[in-house]
Protein backbone atom coordinates (compact mmCIF):
# COMPACT_ATOMS: atom_id res chain seq x y z
CA UNK A 1 0.00 0.00 0.00
CA UNK A 2 1.13 3.52 -0.72
CA UNK A 3 1.49 6.24 1.87
CA UNK A 4 -1.86 7.74 0.87
CA UNK A 5 -3.77 4.73 2.21
CA UNK A 6 -2.62 5.61 5.72
CA UNK A 7 -3.78 9.21 5.40
CA UNK A 8 -7.46 8.34 4.98
CA UNK A 9 -9.35 9.73 7.96
CA UNK A 10 -11.31 7.07 9.80
CA UNK A 11 -14.63 8.05 11.31
CA UNK A 12 -16.02 6.46 14.41
CA UNK A 13 -19.68 6.53 15.42
CA UNK A 14 -19.33 9.87 17.24
CA UNK A 15 -17.71 11.43 14.15
CA UNK A 16 -20.58 10.23 11.99
CA UNK A 17 -23.18 11.71 14.34
CA UNK A 18 -21.23 14.99 14.47
CA UNK A 19 -21.13 15.08 10.68
CA UNK A 20 -24.90 14.58 10.47
CA UNK A 21 -25.39 17.31 13.06
CA UNK A 22 -23.28 19.65 10.89
CA UNK A 23 -25.48 18.69 7.93
CA UNK A 24 -28.52 19.70 10.00
CA UNK A 25 -26.88 23.08 10.69
CA UNK A 26 -26.16 23.63 6.98
CA UNK A 27 -29.63 22.44 6.02
CA UNK A 28 -31.24 24.72 8.63
CA UNK A 29 -29.33 27.68 7.22
CA UNK A 30 -30.43 26.75 3.70
CA UNK A 31 -34.03 26.47 4.85
CA UNK A 32 -33.82 29.86 6.54
CA UNK A 33 -32.55 31.41 3.31
CA UNK A 34 -35.33 29.71 1.33
CA UNK A 35 -37.95 31.03 3.76
CA UNK A 36 -36.48 34.52 3.33
CA UNK A 37 -36.43 34.17 -0.48
CA UNK A 38 -32.68 34.77 -0.41
CA UNK A 39 -31.78 32.44 -3.26
CA UNK A 40 -28.18 33.65 -3.60
CA UNK A 41 -27.39 32.83 0.02
CA UNK A 42 -29.22 29.53 -0.34
CA UNK A 43 -26.91 28.53 -3.16
CA UNK A 44 -23.84 29.67 -1.22
CA UNK A 45 -24.96 27.61 1.79
CA UNK A 46 -25.60 24.62 -0.41
CA UNK A 47 -21.92 24.57 -1.44
CA UNK A 48 -20.89 23.97 2.19
CA UNK A 49 -23.65 21.39 2.60
CA UNK A 50 -22.56 19.43 -0.47
CA UNK A 51 -18.94 19.50 0.71
CA UNK A 52 -19.96 17.97 4.04
CA UNK A 53 -22.10 15.34 2.30
CA UNK A 54 -19.16 14.36 0.09
CA UNK A 55 -16.80 14.13 3.07
CA UNK A 56 -19.31 12.00 4.94
CA UNK A 57 -19.87 9.69 1.97
CA UNK A 58 -16.15 9.03 1.65
CA UNK A 59 -15.57 8.13 5.28
CA UNK A 60 -18.83 6.92 6.80
CA UNK A 61 -18.76 3.44 5.28
CA UNK A 62 -15.94 2.25 7.54
CA UNK A 63 -17.54 3.58 10.72
CA UNK A 64 -19.27 1.31 13.20
CA UNK A 65 -22.23 2.80 15.02
CA UNK A 66 -23.72 1.60 18.26
CA UNK A 67 -27.44 0.91 18.37
CA UNK A 68 -27.98 4.28 20.07
CA UNK A 69 -25.91 6.05 17.40
CA UNK A 70 -27.86 4.29 14.67
CA UNK A 71 -31.09 5.55 16.20
CA UNK A 72 -29.62 9.04 16.52
CA UNK A 73 -28.55 8.93 12.89
CA UNK A 74 -32.04 7.85 11.85
CA UNK A 75 -33.57 10.80 13.73
CA UNK A 76 -31.08 13.21 12.15
CA UNK A 77 -31.83 11.81 8.69
CA UNK A 78 -35.54 12.35 9.29
CA UNK A 79 -34.89 16.00 10.16
CA UNK A 80 -32.74 16.39 7.04
CA UNK A 81 -35.42 14.86 4.85
CA UNK A 82 -38.12 17.13 6.28
CA UNK A 83 -35.97 20.21 5.78
CA UNK A 84 -35.07 19.10 2.26
CA UNK A 85 -38.77 18.61 1.49
CA UNK A 86 -39.61 22.16 2.55
CA UNK A 87 -36.62 23.62 0.67
CA UNK A 88 -37.70 21.77 -2.49
CA UNK A 89 -41.29 22.95 -2.06
CA UNK A 90 -40.12 26.57 -1.77
CA UNK A 91 -37.82 26.17 -4.78
CA UNK A 92 -40.73 24.79 -6.79
CA UNK A 93 -42.87 27.78 -5.78
CA UNK A 94 -40.05 30.13 -6.80
CA UNK A 95 -39.69 28.39 -10.16
CA UNK A 96 -43.44 28.78 -10.74
CA UNK A 97 -43.20 32.50 -9.92
CA UNK A 98 -40.30 32.94 -12.34
CA UNK A 99 -42.16 31.05 -15.07
CA UNK A 100 -45.15 33.39 -14.63
CA UNK A 101 -42.91 36.44 -14.77
CA UNK A 102 -41.22 35.20 -17.93
CA UNK A 103 -44.55 34.40 -19.53
CA UNK A 104 -45.85 37.86 -18.65
CA UNK A 105 -42.75 39.54 -20.03
CA UNK A 106 -43.04 37.52 -23.23
CA UNK A 107 -46.71 38.47 -23.68
CA UNK A 108 -45.91 42.13 -23.03
CA UNK A 109 -43.11 42.03 -25.61
CA UNK A 110 -45.50 40.51 -28.19
CA UNK A 111 -48.10 43.20 -27.50
CA UNK A 112 -45.47 45.95 -27.70
CA UNK A 113 -44.16 44.53 -30.98
CA UNK A 114 -47.72 44.35 -32.38
CA UNK A 115 -48.29 48.04 -31.63
CA UNK A 116 -44.94 49.03 -33.08
CA UNK A 117 -45.63 47.21 -36.36
Amino acid sequence: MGARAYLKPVMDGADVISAYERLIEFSSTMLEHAREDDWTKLIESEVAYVGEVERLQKHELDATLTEQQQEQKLNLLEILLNQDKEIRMRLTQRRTELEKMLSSASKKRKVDNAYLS
Side-chain angles (χ1 to χ4, degrees):
M1 272 192 211
R4 294 187 136 253
Y6 297 107
L7 298 176
K8 180 183 176 194
V10 176
M11 294 181 100
D12 63 15
D15 295 330
V16 171
I17 298 303
S18 292
Y20 277 98
E21 288 171 341
R22 281 191 302 277
L23 285 177
I24 297 278
E25 290 173 18
F26 290 131
S27 179
S28 295
T29 300
M30 290 167 52
L31 181 55
E32 182 180 319
H33 294 315
R35 287 175 176 163
E36 295 171 350
D37 295 331
D38 193 338
W39 308 111
T40 301
K41 285 187 179 178
L42 171 69
I43 292 167
E44 291 169 359
S45 298
E46 188 175 19
V47 170
Y49 178 85
V50 168
E52 186 66 20
V53 168
E54 289 173 352
R55 187 180 81 77
L56 184 58
Q57 283 177 335
K58 287 179 186 175
H59 305 295
E60 179 184 14
L61 292 176
D62 298 329
T64 303
L65 279 69
T66 65
E67 192 173 318
Q68 180 184 4
Q69 289 169 331
Q70 289 175 12
E71 192 170 316
Q72 233 181 323
K73 177 182 167 183
L74 190 62
N75 291 333
L76 294 170
L77 283 169
E78 188 174 336
I79 292 168
L80 282 170
L81 289 172
N82 287 334
Q83 289 179 336
D84 182 67
K85 182 179 178 181
E86 184 176 345
I87 291 168
R88 288 178 187 274
M89 179 197 69
R90 290 177 180 277
L91 285 169
T92 300
Q93 289 172 345
R94 178 63 177 158
R95 184 185 68 212
T96 301
E97 290 170 11
L98 291 172
E99 287 170 348
K100 287 179 184 176
M101 288 171 36
L102 287 171
S103 176
S104 243
S106 176
K107 288 176 186 175
K108 183 184 180 315
R109 192 176 321 114
K110 287 178 184 177
V111 169
D112 289 346
N113 286 341
Y115 279 111
L116 292 174
S117 298

